[in-house]
Amino acid sequence: MSSPKPSSALRSPQLWIGTGLIVAVVATLFSLLYMGGNVNPKGHLRDLPIALVNSDEGGQTGGKRLNLGDQVVSGIEKSAEGNRSIDWQVLSKQEADKRLGQGKLFGALVVPPDFTASVAGLSAPQQKQPARPKLTVLTNQSAGSIGSSMASQATQKAAHGASAQLGKQLLGQANSQGAKLAPAAQLMLADPVTVEVADGHPLGTHSAMGLSAFYYALILVVCGMLGANAVHSQVDTALGYLHADFGPIRRRKPLQHTSRVRTLAVGTVLMLGLSVVMGSLVELATVGILGMDAGHLGLLWLYSVVAIAAVGVSALALLAAFGVPGMLLSAIVFVAMAVPSSGATVPLQALPDFFRTLAEFEPLRQLTGGMRSILYYDAQADAGLTRAWVSMGIALAAGLLFGFAATRIYDRKGLHRIPRPTGAAEPAADAEPAPASA
């Protein structure tokens, strides 16, 4: 009786349905997750932190002591009532600089010390060429370029609104005093304030405009996930469970019967060792070859190694527990759900609630925060580094516990990777029986 042709597999409904379900899940989930987190950031914007800094020293205007900086700040706060998109925080200049240097603010609006005096000088008769008052908008690309851009737009809008309000007051005062203003003077008084934009926390030229921390963290996640897939297949090949294909050559080593627990242990040790290699090469390539701006190189190396190990061991646990579907789960957990909830491209304050919840535990969010601390904020513990270390420790411990618990259960139930021959004695929990004869 002749054997069926390989092409007959295409007539199998199971092949089409099974494969079709897998690719359908992948296409649907990646589309919903990627676009769901980024499709409408302004519509989901809530509580974006921006500082209001009033350094105005005040001055005498019309015989009265005034502080127009207070008026600017209170006016912005009043206009923002009922609008939850921006979290305006009234801070001192020192505190604002500190929070900008920790990535806790996306921008700031600063009223300078001479603001009241400059405004008063516009209508003083002795001033032939008065200096226009200024408001400074500070951006913070280190907290995320899109978030910084959104903060800059909101802050500039507030500054121009404050300028227009002051202009009304100045024109009203001029009219009440019967002053005859030239058209150019009227235009200047109508919009008297110059709005300047400056960088509140400057970065180096080789920092990917504030995205180098995200890209570096993403590299670590991908290295851990793909490294786990390579380790899983190479361990199976070394133990004789899989063939090794080298172009047209296929080889298979003698089968070494071992338990699932021991197989996972071998893979875990290999993953931990290779994490040192991968972490070293990532830093060498990005910092040494490409010249990425980075300090604390020893800490960066240790962070890279531990991050790859934590992701890799977690991915190995999924592969050991679920087999081939574990690869899909790894892609969903470490990429599909992680990238849109990382807060690196679109800030967390502009994400839907579902993605904000994911950001509480998704590894890429935690790793990006730690990388920002190392690369941008002088490795400050409260700038995201402590949270990253704790998260990596939890992930590593959880991966080990889950992986070894699942494989131990499989071994105890006799669910070995090589089927037990019919009528053979039940093997021990930590060893697999010999396969049936062909």
Side-chain angles (χ1 to χ4, degrees):
M1 184 177 181
S2 60
S3 59
K5 296 181 179 179
S7 59
S8 64
L10 293 174
R11 295 194 293 270
S12 170
Q14 290 83 355
L15 177 63
W16 285 96
I17 294 174
T19 308
L21 285 175
I22 293 174
V23 298
V25 168
V26 171
T28 303
L29 282 179
F30 271 75
S31 299
L32 291 176
L33 291 171
Y34 265 52
M35 293 304 297
N38 299 279
V39 70
N40 185 20
K42 287 188 176 181
H44 293 109
L45 185 62
R46 188 170 75 243
D47 297 330
L48 189 73
I50 303 175
L52 285 174
V53 178
N54 180 23
S55 301
D56 188 12
E57 298 175 352
Q60 294 289 335
T61 303
K64 297 180 180 179
R65 181 73 181 177
L66 292 178
N67 189 304
L68 296 180
D70 288 338
Q71 180 178 317
V72 170
V73 170
S74 61
I76 293 175
E77 289 184 308
K78 185 176 181 180
S79 65
E81 291 179 357
N83 183 357
R84 292 193 57 193
S85 60
I86 304 297
D87 177 21
W88 295 104
Q89 301 178 9
V90 180
L91 304 172
S92 66
K93 186 64 167 64
Q94 181 180 6
E95 182 64 20
D97 288 340
K98 177 183 176 181
R99 296 191 187 186
L100 286 168
Q102 294 175 333
K104 295 180 180 179
L105 292 173
F106 286 89
L109 177 61
V110 179
V111 182
D114 62 345
F115 185 73
T116 298
S118 298
V119 173
L122 293 178
S123 56
Q126 67 272 19
Q127 294 285 347
K128 295 182 179 180
Q129 292 182 339
R132 297 188 67 177
K134 297 179 182 178
L135 292 175
T136 302
V137 171
L138 298 180
T139 61
N140 190 11
Q141 283 193 333
S142 67
S145 55
I146 292 181
S148 178
S149 175
M150 297 173 76
S152 178
Q153 293 175 16
T155 310
Q156 290 185 61
K157 181 179 179 181
H160 287 296
S163 176
Q165 185 63 35
L166 283 174
K168 291 181 180 179
Q169 295 180 16
L170 293 175
L171 288 175
Q173 292 175 4
N175 292 332
S176 64
Q177 295 172 359
K180 296 182 179 179
L181 300 174
Q186 290 183 357
L187 288 176
M188 186 179 72
L189 288 181
D191 186 16
V193 178
T194 298
V195 179
E196 294 185 343
V197 179
D199 197 339
H201 186 74
L203 298 176
T205 57
H206 288 66
S207 62
M209 298 180 67
L211 287 175
S212 58
F214 165 67
Y215 288 128
Y216 196 104
L218 182 60
I219 291 170
L220 299 181
V221 170
V222 171
C223 284
M225 185 182 68
L226 296 184
N229 289 333
V231 166
H232 182 75
S233 63
Q234 290 301 308
V235 168
D236 278 355
T237 300
L239 296 177
Y241 288 98
L242 292 177
H243 289 89
D245 290 324
F246 300 96
I249 301 174
R250 166 170 283 201
R251 294 177 180 175
R252 181 165 185 171
K253 294 186 177 182
L255 182 62
Q256 301 180 39
H257 304 290
T258 187
S259 65
R260 292 178 182 268
V261 169
R262 288 180 177 176
T263 302
L264 178 58
V266 172
T268 299
V269 172
L270 184 60
M271 185 72 235
L272 293 176
L274 293 179
S275 296
V276 176
V277 177
M278 288 188 287
S280 302
L281 291 175
V282 168
E283 182 170 342
L284 175 63
T286 56
V287 180
I289 298 177
L290 298 177
M292 183 185 75
D293 293 322
H296 305 280
L297 297 183
L299 177 60
L300 178 62
W301 174 83
L302 179 61
Y303 188 92
S304 303
V305 171
V306 176
I308 292 174
V311 174
V313 168
S314 300
L316 274 178
L318 293 175
L319 288 166
F322 301 109
V324 174
M327 297 176 63
L328 177 59
L329 286 174
S330 294
I332 293 173
V333 172
F334 296 117
V335 179
M337 294 194 303
V339 172
S341 63
S342 66
T345 51
V346 176
L348 296 181
Q349 292 81 4
L351 294 176
D353 290 338
F354 172 74
F355 292 94
R356 296 192 194 198
T357 302
L358 287 181
E360 293 298 321
F361 60 87
E362 269 293 336
L364 186 55
R365 165 61 181 153
Q366 323 312 325
L367 293 181
T368 300
M371 285 304 308
R372 281 175 171 165
S373 177
I374 295 173
L375 297 181
Y376 308 149
Y377 308 134
D378 198 28
Q380 297 179 68
D382 56 353
L385 189 56
T386 297
R387 180 187 177 105
W389 282 120
V390 171
S391 299
M392 286 191 288
I394 293 174
L396 187 59
L400 290 171
L401 288 173
F402 174 73
F404 283 106
T407 52
R408 182 64 176 172
I409 292 173
Y410 294 161
D411 287 338
R412 290 180 66 86
K413 290 183 175 293
L415 301 173
H416 303 293
R417 303 179 71 188
I418 302 297
R420 181 169 59 89
T422 303
E426 183 66 32
D430 61 348
E432 292 191 1
S437 301

